[in-house]
Amino acid sequence: MDYSISINTIWVLIATALVFFMQAGFAMVETGFTRAKNAGNIIMKNIMDFSVGSLIFWILGFSIMFGVDLGGFIGKVDIFSLGSYEHLGLDIPKEAFLIFQTVFCATAATIVSGAMAERTKFISYLMYSFVISAAIYPIVGHWIWGGGWLSQLGFHDFAGSTVVHSLGGWAAFMGAWIIGPRIGKYTKDGKARVIKGHSLTLGALGVFILWFGWFGFNPGSTLSGTDFTSIAHIFVTTNLAAASSAIVAMFISWSRYGKPDVSMTLNGALAGLVAITAGTDIVAPLGAVIIGSIAGIVIIFSIEFIDRILKVDDPVGAVGVHGICGAVGTILVGLFAVEGGLFYGGGVGMLKIQLLGVGAVALWTLCTSFVLFKAINVTVGLRVSEGEEETGLDKEEHGTESYADFMTKSIYVNNQEV
């Protein structure tokens, strides 16, 4: 008897559970890197983007992403995902594939939460979660994983540096730009202020959970529990990239700020994980270390550039981690892929395709999310009032306090939080 289908199915479902647990990681990172008065709001956003996304992705998004290809752009709509999807040639049940893809969709959606934290209306965030899970994400997913035009060109994004992370990062950038910075983030002359999060401990816990979950995110994308060689290789490249990126980010922050910065180092680990996700299956361990090291450099300077030059207030560094490092990691596949990469004698063909795909996804996501956030802004509004923001979204949006026994109200002196 052939047990491979059973083994493959069990492996994919275990990986699904690991990726689902990453939602807790995102929640802890975002909560820890922001103020205590908004902790409950962030938890609510993280649980509801998964809940809303799960339903609409099952109803509509899955078929748009993996339905029979229509012109290379979109899959044939199949309400409630009732079709057989035999054209995918799966070695696992459709339902196993559906739930695995659902948790990936949720990851893309939740990235925006951190970048728009502490000033976004809860109802507006629910509307965004619905639309990105129903259309914005599935269409990109079809281009690359569902047989669409980028997959036909040979674009390689194994587990989602671009499909999941860059897409979420570009949407986060647009949302943070449109909604504007938090009160007190910038001085009158435009100088950026640091608004410290309330718990580096929670932030670190979140990073460790995400690192752990990535061992489902990347190796699980093999969809095969019997491909032991690939699974082991992907475990190694995933881990090496995260470790090297964290180390490089630590030393750069140490050099620039005089001390090794905790939050930058934590984001460095995430940057390496994001960057390696595209090519984790086809780069050598040394290539993974180099990609991670590059991500460790990029994350420091991208966060500084977004914060100080573009003056886009991203409390957790989501745009740099996911948008920029996701794009950079995907492009680097064209250099470090052991088959087809420029540095391995493959020429520039793969690199050109990687650049095209990254640009196309960035353009699509920035344009569609611009329309989405502008539409939300002119209907229900994106931002809470100044008074609500200063009091905190836990109390104003949810009628509760996450830390009822602690003083969490911000105090402002000369328009600066103290």
Side-chain angles (χ1 to χ4, degrees):
M1 181 180 294
D2 184 6
Y3 291 102
S4 62
I5 293 178
S6 298
I7 295 172
N8 293 343
T9 302
I10 292 170
W11 167 239
V12 169
L13 294 178
I14 291 172
T16 297
L18 289 172
V19 178
F20 169 73
F21 191 45
M22 291 172 70
Q23 288 290 123
F26 281 113
M28 294 301 97
V29 169
E30 294 166 22
T31 302
F33 283 5
T34 54
R35 289 166 290 185
K37 63 183 180 180
N38 301 306
N41 174 259
I42 287 173
I43 297 301
M44 279 290 286
K45 289 193 296 182
N46 276 269
I47 194 170
M48 291 314 301
D49 62 34
F50 183 82
S51 300
V52 170
S54 291
L55 288 175
I56 192 58
F57 190 72
W58 164 64
I59 293 169
L60 180 62
F62 181 74
S63 66
I64 288 176
M65 192 163 174
F66 293 105
V68 175
D69 179 54
L70 299 176
F73 182 76
I74 194 171
K76 183 179 179 181
V77 172
D78 170 33
I79 302 299
F80 300 118
S81 305
L82 296 174
S84 66
Y85 294 84
E86 293 179 352
H87 63 282
L88 297 176
L90 297 172
D91 289 327
I92 57 175
K94 180 191 71 177
E95 286 79 5
F97 187 64
L98 168 62
I99 190 62
F100 184 68
Q101 293 299 330
T102 297
V103 294
F104 273 63
C105 177
T107 300
T110 202
I111 290 167
V112 176
S113 172
M116 299 179 68
E118 303 201 290
R119 72 266 203 209
T120 306
K121 287 184 177 180
F122 183 63
I123 185 63
S124 302
Y125 186 77
L126 294 180
M127 294 170 67
Y128 147 79
S129 297
F130 180 92
V131 175
I132 194 172
S133 302
I136 296 176
Y137 170 79
I139 287 175
V140 168
H142 183 77
W143 293 355
I144 298 170
W145 291 342
W149 68 278
L150 280 174
S151 68
Q152 294 169 22
L153 289 175
F155 181 80
H156 188 88
D157 184 9
F158 181 71
S161 288
T162 287
V163 176
V164 177
H165 295 282
S166 267
L167 182 143
W170 300 135
F173 174 82
M174 190 55 67
W177 176 63
I178 290 174
I179 200 171
R182 291 166 292 173
I183 296 171
K185 173 61 182 176
Y186 296 99
T187 63
K188 291 181 180 180
D189 60 1
K191 184 178 180 181
R193 290 194 180 108
V194 175
I195 300 178
K196 293 182 178 180
H198 82 282
S199 177
L200 281 174
T201 306
L202 283 179
L205 175 63
V207 170
F208 278 114
I209 290 173
L210 288 169
W211 197 328
F212 175 71
W214 236 283
F215 293 130
F217 202 96
N218 286 358
S221 294
T222 60
L223 301 180
S224 172
T226 56
D227 189 0
F228 305 125
T229 301
S230 293
I231 291 172
H233 176 79
I234 293 167
F235 260 86
V236 169
T237 55
T238 298
N239 190 65
L240 288 175
S244 58
S245 185
I247 291 170
V248 170
M250 179 193 69
F251 278 114
I252 291 178
S253 71
W254 203 337
S255 172
R256 292 180 66 78
Y257 313 140
K259 296 181 184 297
D261 187 271
V262 179
S263 62
M264 282 294 193
T265 302
L266 293 172
N267 267 335
L270 296 181
L273 290 164
V274 168
I276 196 58
T277 295
T280 183
D281 61 323
I282 59 171
V283 302
L286 178 58
V289 170
I290 297 172
I291 290 171
S293 299
I294 293 171
I297 298 169
V298 169
I299 190 58
I300 300 289
F301 292 100
S302 64
I303 286 178
E304 290 183 2
F305 180 76
I306 291 164
D307 186 53
R308 300 175 185 178
I309 306 301
L310 299 183
K311 302 192 188 311
V312 172
D313 182 15
D314 176 4
V316 303
V319 178
V321 169
H322 300 279
I324 305 299
C325 289
V328 169
T330 306
I331 292 168
L332 290 175
V333 174
L335 300 179
F336 292 100
V338 294
E339 294 185 9
L342 178 62
F343 293 163
Y344 287 82
V348 298
M350 187 178 193
L351 179 60
K352 289 179 179 179
I353 294 171
Q354 296 300 105
L355 286 165
L356 173 64
V358 166
V361 172
L363 181 63
W364 162 261
T365 309
L366 290 170
C367 290
T368 53
S369 58
F370 175 82
V371 173
L372 171 60
F373 286 123
K374 282 292 186 181
I376 294 173
N377 199 34
V378 299
T379 52
V380 301
L382 269 178
R383 187 165 187 146
V384 298
S385 70
E386 183 175 322
E388 290 171 329
E389 183 177 343
E390 291 186 348
T391 300
L393 303 189
D394 285 6
K395 183 174 289 187
E396 295 293 338
E397 288 274 83
H398 307 288
T400 189
E401 292 182 71
S402 297
Y403 299 90
D405 293 336
F406 297 86
M407 185 179 73
T408 59
K409 183 175 177 60
S410 297
I411 299 172
Y412 290 84
V413 176
N414 296 326
N415 199 37
Q416 183 173 358
E417 187 176 14
V418 296

